[in-house]
Amino acid sequence: MILSRRALLASVSAAAAAAALPRPIFAADEQPRRGGVLTVHQATEQRILNPALRASTGVYIVTSKIIESLVDLGPDGKPEPVLATSWSATPDGKTITFKLREGVTWHDGKPFTAADVQYNALELWKKHLNYGTQLQLYLDAVDTPDPHTAIFRYSRPIPLPLLLRALADLGYVVPRHVFEGTDVLENPANTAPIGTGPFKFVEYQRGQYIVAERNPNYWRKGYPYLDRIVWRFITDKSAAAAALETGQVQLSAYNQLSLSDIDRLKSDPRFEVSSRGNEANAFNNTVEFNHRRKELADVRVRRAIAHAINVDFFNENFLYGHGKRATGPIPSNSTAFYQGGSFPYPFDPKRADALLDEAGYKRGPDGNRFSLRLVPVQNGEDVPQFATFIQQSLADVGIKVEIVQLDIAGALSTIYKDWNFDLATGWHQYRGDPAVSTTVWFRSGSPKGSPWTNQFGWQSDKVDRLIDDAASEVDPVKRKGLYDDWVKEVNAELPLWFATEREFISVTSKKLKNHHNTPRWPSSSWYDLWL
Amino acid sequence: MPLLGFALRRLLTSIPSLLIILVGVFVLLQFAPGDTVDALLAQMGGGDIAVIENLRRFYGLDASATVRMGRYLLRLVQLDLGFSAIYGKPVAEVIVERLPVTLLLMASSLLLALLGGIVLGTMAARRVNKWPDALISTVGLLFYATPSFWLGLMGMVVFAVKLGWLPSGGYEELGAGHVGFWRLVDIARHMVLPTLTLALIFLSIYLRIMRASMLEVSTMDFVQTARAKGVDETRIVTRHVLRNALLPMVTLVGLHASTMLGGSCVVESVFTLPGLGRLAYEAVVQRDLNTLLGIVFISALLVIIVNFLVDLLYARLDPRIREKGR
């Protein structure tokens, strides 16, 4: 018994050494160890655990260990093969061919084939997956000439880099034989996921934990290292910090602790507190204007508001320095699209006053020019703080702001469904390519009721055209050029304002090795993670 | 048999109030902006209109509020609590999973608060205005004035983070594989801090009531008579005073059953216990109407049952009530 186990371990570590070559992150004297249980903090429970139906970090942090995507992002930020081994596009950008990995089996033993990819693309990503529906809008068909080839046919050109980058998030594949012919939203596999990943789903205790265990038949031979992963649901932020400190959990990702606890744990030698491994996502604190208010329809007023708010002060004193002033809608860590430069409206209350006077809104006898209602969308603890900061900053330039306190469901419907706001603030999430979830904030024609889209009553033919052209431009250089023009245009018009630019922060116990070694690591498969 | 009749009568008289509560909660939630799909979209990070319409249909939100209310009441008559939007399974099942934790937390806290209150209150009353009384009263006032969530967090910092004696949260150790007796010990260890947190505020109320009521009863004629007869002091306290002094306490316990349910919401969130209170909070934030109404329904039933038991206890403590009450 002991002998066979030793033999097994020896063979495994040999295989591991060979397979681990592309990721030389761990120090030479530290050999990866097999075994161990990792416990991860998770603040909220998801309704369903199916990344082919729900694109959100809360779903990925659990399911990306169980279910795999066609591609993931490698350490250099470039797409890395997972279930797809290679890809190519025709010059017209309308046909994209994926070669799929052979010898991969689902956790229930059935083989993974191109038919699975075909079903997911047409029935789940195109019909149900948020952001997937937009990405695959022009997908007409997926041909499967053999079990390991999937040919995606589009009616409009789609840039290959956009598709690959987006598929890291929006390209998770669930088994066709489990979902086909059922009501996909009610399928039991939505809460007991089946995939091809390094870990197999074991148990989900509502309100308590999810457990996944090592998949012994994983296609990356010798992986994963961990025996089990447990996700524990801890709603209270202080309690979650205490659980980290007592060692009950070893990892908390995606800013799920309070900013003050994150700052405190920075000086604790047992933890690494960093945004390393979160480069693929960026987020902003937004200032959204309702252009149906005549004051806000005037670009001078919007610029004055930007001049009046000291983002650097907010960053230093409220965000503990974990952010910076954004220069435009594309964040600086998006190297393929970032154009550099500086934000055209620096903090300058005098200029703000002058602009407001020029627009014809003189201060009244009480010092006020006009008043506005601000609706915060409380994604994070810093949102109500930023709302208060906006209120105080604008009071200095004579704009009275009333903050409307609602919970997140209420705020979303008030802003994006009822348009019942003057100013709004919340988070915008950038998902690696402007076309995934960023340009929808600027493109006109989004139906009423879609949250985090242009519901602001603002429209520009030029911006609409730039967005549409860039989304189907196959030449990367031309595409970058179109986005440069777009950034310039929306910075000038300022239909809405991304004030800060931030990366998610993870708090990780130093017992973990090989962690945060890819740019979307909390949402990756953790196959090479060990304790 | 008369007991059963009494119980049935009690239940029948509570049906109208139950109905009013349920309809009231339903109507109140209609005034809250946003529905469960908005809450879901917040969790998902957005989606386009086709996805959204699909989801509204899926959750039955395409019908008008009156139709949905009617559907709900119709289902309720058939003892069906409906389907939970957050958990994707029948509400009854979700509640049954969560109920034991809340019941355990409530029962242990109530027991601790009651026993502690009676013992400390009696001790304070017997040494009234001497140092034990001063000490007990001061400590009681301190706990009464401290918010329970703060007490819970501080308990966690001291006993879990600094000293490492107790776990910082959860219901049991995950994956430890405890069975039988050791599982009970494990759960008990996890329940120590939450129970204390929830109990202390009630304990301080009970000890003050107990002290006052002991003092009041001990000056009454029948106690004086007993003393004159030469009955010894301990026997007077246990047989004569305590029994009568308990009546106001029992009333309070009945009233506090609902307060405790509310308090367990905070405690369960702080200590990550998978109970009803946390479920209720989650249901409000996620606008999961069926689950919330289910919880309100079960909680109301729970309070009715507790008050029914309190009535029985009255009769047991005071024979005079038994005579009139039936």
Side-chain angles (χ1 to χ4, degrees):
Chain A
M1 181 67 204
I2 289 169
L3 218 131
S4 70
R5 189 162 158 251
R6 223 177 250 162
L8 177 81
L9 282 176
S11 70
V12 157
S13 58
L21 275 177
R23 286 192 187 176
I25 304 293
F26 47 83
D29 57 330
E30 282 191 292
Q31 278 304 310
R33 248 195 322 270
R34 162 68 52 83
V37 178
L38 168 69
T39 310
V40 184
H41 164 224
Q42 188 54 27
T44 53
E45 265 177 282
Q46 300 294 325
R47 296 190 194 183
I48 66 175
L49 300 173
N50 184 346
L53 293 176
R54 298 285 154 80
S56 95
T57 51
V59 174
Y60 298 147
I61 199 168
V62 177
T63 56
S64 60
K65 289 55 181 169
I66 300 163
I67 296 166
E68 290 180 300
S69 184
L70 289 179
V71 295
D72 199 354
L73 301 184
D76 54 358
K78 299 218 164 61
E80 185 181 77
V82 182
L83 289 179
T85 51
S86 66
W87 39 80
S88 61
T90 52
D92 68 357
K94 287 184 176 175
T95 307
I96 290 168
T97 306
F98 288 98
K99 284 279 172 205
L100 304 176
R101 195 170 294 279
E102 297 182 26
V104 176
T105 52
W106 297 103
H107 292 158
D108 62 6
K110 297 218 165 62
F112 159 79
T113 67
D116 292 306
V117 175
Q118 180 189 46
Y119 175 78
N120 277 263
L122 292 172
E123 295 299 320
L124 306 182
W125 307 344
K126 189 178 162 69
K127 285 189 184 162
H128 293 283
L129 179 65
N130 49 325
Y131 297 112
T133 50
Q134 284 123 296
L135 183 75
Q136 309 294 1
L137 190 60
Y138 300 102
L139 177 67
D140 285 346
V142 177
D143 297 343
T144 53
D146 66 74
H148 300 290
T149 307
I151 303 171
F152 284 51
R153 298 196 186 280
Y154 290 89
S155 58
R156 221 180 68 166
I158 183 163
L160 186 59
L162 162 65
L163 183 66
L164 291 173
R165 172 59 191 87
L167 283 181
D169 289 319
L170 308 174
Y172 283 93
V173 189
V174 294
R176 176 179 194 151
H177 62 269
V178 172
F179 281 86
E180 194 168 34
T182 67
D183 181 346
V184 293
L185 290 178
E186 281 190 277
N187 195 295
N190 285 336
T191 48
I194 297 167
T196 56
F199 295 92
K200 289 203 288 191
F201 172 82
V202 178
E203 190 189 8
Y204 181 3
Q205 276 291 335
R206 306 303 172 128
Q208 294 197 77
Y209 56 85
I210 300 174
V211 182
E213 66 178 10
R214 188 170 185 277
N215 172 10
N217 302 319
Y218 188 47
W219 55 267
R220 280 184 174 110
K221 293 295 170 226
Y223 291 101
Y225 293 125
L226 297 174
D227 281 342
R228 271 167 175 251
I229 302 177
V230 177
W231 292 266
R232 269 194 59 180
F233 297 109
I234 307 176
T235 327
D236 188 87
K237 288 183 171 182
S238 314
L244 268 168
E245 288 178 274
T246 55
Q248 279 189 314
V249 305
Q250 292 94 43
L251 170 68
S252 177
Y254 291 127
N255 283 47
Q256 294 191 79
L257 299 176
S258 73
L259 287 168
S260 60
D261 277 329
I262 287 176
D263 194 57
R264 185 169 60 82
L265 292 173
K266 255 195 275 185
S267 55
D268 191 322
R270 292 173 296 168
F271 301 104
E272 179 183 323
V273 177
S274 166
S275 58
R276 182 169 74 90
N278 283 303
E279 297 86 0
N281 289 314
F283 65 104
N284 311 84
N285 288 88
T286 62
V287 179
E288 295 150 50
F289 306 106
N290 191 344
H291 295 255
R292 297 167 193 92
R293 269 291 296 251
K294 71 171 187 338
E295 293 92 339
L296 295 173
D298 188 329
V299 68
R300 288 170 297 191
V301 173
R302 301 197 296 272
R303 287 173 182 167
I305 288 174
H307 277 303
I309 296 169
N310 189 349
V311 178
D312 295 327
F313 182 90
F314 178 74
N315 173 43
E316 283 310 313
N317 294 285
F318 291 87
L319 302 181
Y320 297 88
H322 288 294
K324 55 183 174 185
R325 177 179 266 264
T327 61
I330 296 179
S332 56
N333 68 9
S334 178
T335 42
F337 300 103
Y338 184 62
Q339 56 165 203
S342 61
F343 186 65
Y345 316 105
F347 175 60
D348 185 351
K350 284 207 184 65
R351 179 96 190 93
D353 263 321
L355 277 167
L356 289 166
D357 283 339
E358 193 189 310
Y361 301 106
K362 303 273 187 233
R363 282 180 193 261
D366 56 351
N368 284 336
R369 302 169 194 275
F370 51 88
S371 44
L372 297 171
R373 292 169 70 249
L374 167 63
V375 183
V377 182
Q378 318 215 351
N379 297 63
E381 57 170 312
D382 50 280
V383 171
Q385 289 172 348
F386 192 52
T388 311
F389 190 70
I390 293 171
Q391 184 183 42
Q392 289 175 359
S393 304
L394 295 188
D396 291 344
V397 297
I399 301 173
K400 196 171 170 225
V401 172
E402 180 206 340
I403 296 175
V404 182
Q405 296 289 359
L406 294 165
D407 69 357
I408 193 158
L412 285 187
S413 81
T414 303
I415 300 167
Y416 300 103
K417 198 161 38 179
D418 305 335
W419 299 340
N420 184 13
F421 70 105
D422 299 324
L423 296 175
T425 182
W427 285 0
H428 154 254
Q429 228 195 102
Y430 181 83
R431 291 172 170 82
D433 189 299
V436 180
S437 60
T438 304
T439 51
V440 288
W441 289 67
F442 299 88
R443 177 75 170 86
S444 71
S446 178
K448 196 173 179 176
S450 282
W452 295 300
T453 63
N454 179 358
Q455 301 291 332
F456 312 120
W458 179 81
Q459 196 269 335
S460 150
D461 289 337
K462 186 174 175 194
V463 165
D464 286 354
R465 203 174 50 246
L466 283 170
I467 288 172
D468 294 348
D469 290 350
S472 57
E473 176 55 62
V474 196
D475 180 345
V477 179
K478 279 191 199 151
R479 189 154 182 258
K480 162 94 165 55
L482 288 169
Y483 281 125
D484 285 349
D485 293 346
W486 172 70
V487 170
K488 219 170 284 159
E489 186 64 19
V490 297
N491 269 352
E493 284 296 313
L494 210 66
L496 72 142
W497 175 32
F498 293 164
T500 66
E501 176 191 312
R502 302 160 62 187
E503 283 178 355
F504 285 113
I505 303 164
S506 302
V507 178
T508 319
S509 162
K510 287 195 178 150
K511 288 184 186 143
L512 270 65
K513 310 288 171 190
N514 268 358
H515 64 88
H516 292 90
N517 51 10
T518 61
R520 59 187 289 280
W521 186 81
S523 294
S524 72
S525 74
W526 297 356
Y527 73 89
D528 60 345
L529 177 68
W530 57 281
L531 282 164
Chain B
M1 226 19 5
L3 184 69
L4 199 68
F6 182 49
L8 269 178
R9 221 168 39 239
R10 240 6 212 334
L11 203 64
L12 278 178
T13 48
S14 21
I15 285 177
S17 44
L18 214 57
L19 208 66
I20 292 172
I21 292 171
L22 287 177
V23 175
V25 171
F26 190 95
V27 170
L28 267 179
L29 268 174
Q30 298 308 314
F31 285 116
D35 56 27
T36 193
V37 173
D38 290 310
L40 177 60
L41 286 168
Q43 217 182 40
M44 285 160 56
D48 72 22
I49 206 75
V51 173
I52 295 169
E53 273 168 9
N54 225 340
L55 287 170
R56 286 236 154 77
R57 229 179 352 263
F58 177 68
Y59 288 119
L61 289 169
D62 43 355
S64 75
T66 15
V67 172
R68 279 182 288 134
M69 179 81 226
R71 276 186 204 158
Y72 185 81
L73 290 178
L74 201 70
R75 275 203 311 266
L76 200 62
V77 173
Q78 303 157 19
L79 294 179
D80 174 9
L81 291 177
F83 216 71
S84 158
I86 323 178
Y87 292 109
K89 50 182 173 181
V91 169
E93 220 173 281
V94 177
I95 290 178
V96 165
E97 276 173 17
R98 302 295 190 99
L99 197 58
V101 179
T102 301
L103 285 182
L104 181 63
L105 179 65
M106 273 178 72
S108 54
S109 304
L110 200 63
L111 210 65
L112 181 68
L114 210 55
L115 283 179
I118 292 172
V119 170
L120 290 175
T122 312
M123 273 165 65
R126 290 196 64 182
R127 309 262 193 292
V128 67
N129 292 335
K130 301 216 177 64
W131 70 264
D133 178 29
L135 183 74
I136 290 172
S137 298
T138 312
V139 172
L141 197 63
L142 205 67
F143 285 135
Y144 183 66
T146 317
S148 60
F149 70 90
W150 187 83
L151 211 62
L153 285 175
M154 288 305 114
M156 202 188 289
V157 168
V158 174
F159 294 106
V161 178
K162 294 288 176 219
L163 296 173
W165 292 352
L166 293 167
S168 67
Y171 182 58
E172 55 188 315
E173 205 57 51
L174 305 181
H178 294 306
V179 283
F181 175 71
W182 290 110
R183 180 155 181 253
L184 289 184
V185 172
D186 183 46
I187 293 176
R189 266 168 50 82
H190 281 83
M191 294 301 283
V192 171
L193 281 176
T195 305
L196 276 176
T197 307
L198 187 58
L200 279 177
I201 196 162
F202 292 100
L203 191 149
S204 55
I205 297 174
Y206 294 157
L207 100 82
R208 291 179 72 77
I209 299 287
M210 193 64 199
R211 178 177 171 276
S213 129
M214 284 286 286
L215 287 177
E216 197 195 323
V217 177
S218 61
T219 59
M220 285 189 165
D221 289 347
F222 71 93
V223 179
Q224 302 289 1
T225 315
R227 239 179 230 133
K229 279 198 304 189
V231 182
D232 81 358
E233 195 59 26
T234 316
R235 208 177 141 73
I236 290 179
V237 169
T238 50
R239 286 284 302 169
H240 299 268
V241 184
L242 196 62
R243 205 169 162 147
N244 284 287
L246 274 178
L247 281 176
M249 294 277 281
V250 172
T251 317
L252 268 185
V253 169
L255 287 174
H256 277 160
S258 54
T259 321
M260 242 181 194
L261 265 176
S264 70
C265 178
V266 175
V267 173
E268 281 168 14
S269 296
V270 171
F271 290 101
T272 337
L273 292 171
L276 271 192
R278 217 174 110 211
L279 185 67
Y281 172 79
E282 201 74 11
V284 172
V285 173
Q286 301 250 358
R287 302 284 193 279
D288 185 353
L289 203 62
N290 281 350
T291 305
L292 190 66
L293 288 172
I295 296 168
V296 169
F297 183 70
I298 296 295
S299 306
L301 272 184
L302 214 61
V303 171
I304 290 169
I305 291 170
V306 169
N307 277 293
F308 176 66
L309 292 178
V310 163
D311 279 350
L312 290 183
L313 204 61
Y314 266 150
R316 181 97 194 79
L317 282 172
D318 190 341
R320 285 170 300 180
I321 297 177
R322 195 162 22 195
E323 300 300 311
K324 287 181 218 151
R326 294 278 159 83

